[in-house]
Amino acid sequence: MGDSADAAPPLPTFRPEEQVCGNCKLWSPHSVDERRGWVGPCRLQSSRGMFPPSAPICDKYAPRGTAVAPVAHAPTRERTARSVAPVVVRRRVDPNEVVDLEGLSMTREELMDIFREASGLADSPPLAGKWEGGTVRLVPGNPELQAKDMPIDNLFHKVVMVRDRLRVLEQKLNAHPKLSDAEKVEMQSYITRVYGSLTSFNVLFREKGDQFVGSKGDE
């Protein structure tokens, strides 16, 4: 590297007709080399490094005072952001399609009922209007003991949970691959009797279609 800018020698000048890099607007002075004097880079050919203005011109020569052709860069492919979100392909599913769960067969709708019940998303039947906000009181036989009050809504919720779990049990029983038809009928009769034992709670349901239905002798 040469001296400071204050002590630098003047830039060499060349006649307009001289074909040297000093007359090319692509060359610019940078610093003073101890042996070669002023040196600088080419704006288009930076790989040449630093060289003096007296260097012969190349095919990119652009006389000072003329427009410089824009630097041609290799075309770059525009990169689009790649989505990392999973692609969801929706297809129509037959609710009556039978699925096999390790030997237990049931329809998709029956399986979804089980999922909805387990997640608490199943539609809860409405409580009969006259019981809304009511209370169930459990009074012990011993008058010295305190009675216990329970909101009817809580009792109704527990009754509905029992009903829904019995329905799921019934579905699994009917779809069980290892039970004979006779065994299924026998177990179904027990479930029907349980329904019959719970018909006392039918008074809580607003809609008749939501109530328990047992055998005639159990109701």
Side-chain angles (χ1 to χ4, degrees):
M1 186 67 65
D3 301 329
S4 64
D6 294 338
L11 283 171
T13 58
F14 305 93
R15 295 188 302 275
E17 65 273 12
E18 291 187 79
Q19 303 291 300
V20 293
C21 288
N23 280 339
C24 179
K25 66 188 309 177
L26 298 177
W27 181 90
S28 58
H30 178 271
S31 56
V32 178
D33 182 82
E34 294 181 355
R35 293 186 301 104
R36 296 180 296 172
W38 278 101
V39 292
C42 174
R43 288 165 52 192
L44 288 184
Q45 302 185 60
S46 58
S47 60
R48 292 181 60 182
M50 302 289 185
F51 54 92
S54 58
I57 63 172
C58 65
D59 57 352
K60 305 296 183 182
Y61 177 71
R64 296 185 182 277
T66 62
V68 181
V71 179
H73 296 285
T76 58
R77 295 178 60 185
E78 184 177 351
R79 299 185 62 182
T80 57
R82 182 179 179 183
S83 174
V84 297
V87 178
V88 179
V89 180
R90 295 189 177 183
R91 64 183 181 90
R92 299 190 64 179
V93 178
D94 182 4
N96 296 318
E97 179 183 350
V98 177
V99 294
D100 184 10
L101 301 175
E102 297 183 357
L104 181 62
S105 298
M106 64 180 66
T107 66
R108 287 186 177 273
E109 186 61 28
E110 291 171 340
L111 181 60
M112 288 306 300
D113 286 342
I114 295 175
F115 287 155
R116 283 191 287 267
E117 167 59 23
S119 62
L121 297 178
D123 294 333
S124 178
L127 176 68
K130 65 180 179 179
W131 303 118
E132 292 181 356
T135 302
V136 175
R137 169 160 288 193
L138 304 177
V139 181
N142 185 348
E144 297 181 358
L145 299 178
Q146 186 177 3
K148 179 176 179 59
D149 293 337
M150 173 187 297
I152 291 183
D153 287 343
N154 290 1
L155 173 64
F156 181 64
H157 176 69
K158 294 180 184 300
V159 171
V160 171
M161 289 179 62
V162 171
R163 185 206 64 169
D164 291 344
R165 280 164 173 73
L166 281 173
R167 290 181 176 180
V168 173
L169 175 61
E170 196 172 13
Q171 291 171 353
K172 290 185 176 183
L173 172 65
N174 292 331
H176 201 290
K178 296 184 179 181
L179 293 176
S180 66
D181 290 341
E183 290 172 325
K184 290 180 181 179
V185 171
E186 181 183 2
M187 292 186 180
Q188 178 63 54
S189 68
Y190 287 112
I191 295 178
T192 302
R193 291 176 186 175
V194 173
Y195 282 139
S197 300
L198 295 171
T199 53
S200 299
F201 294 105
N202 283 346
V203 67
L204 299 175
F205 292 89
R206 182 186 303 176
E207 305 294 340
K208 187 174 180 61
D210 295 325
Q211 296 177 354
F212 295 100
V213 178
S215 62
K216 294 299 182 182
D218 295 326
E219 293 185 8

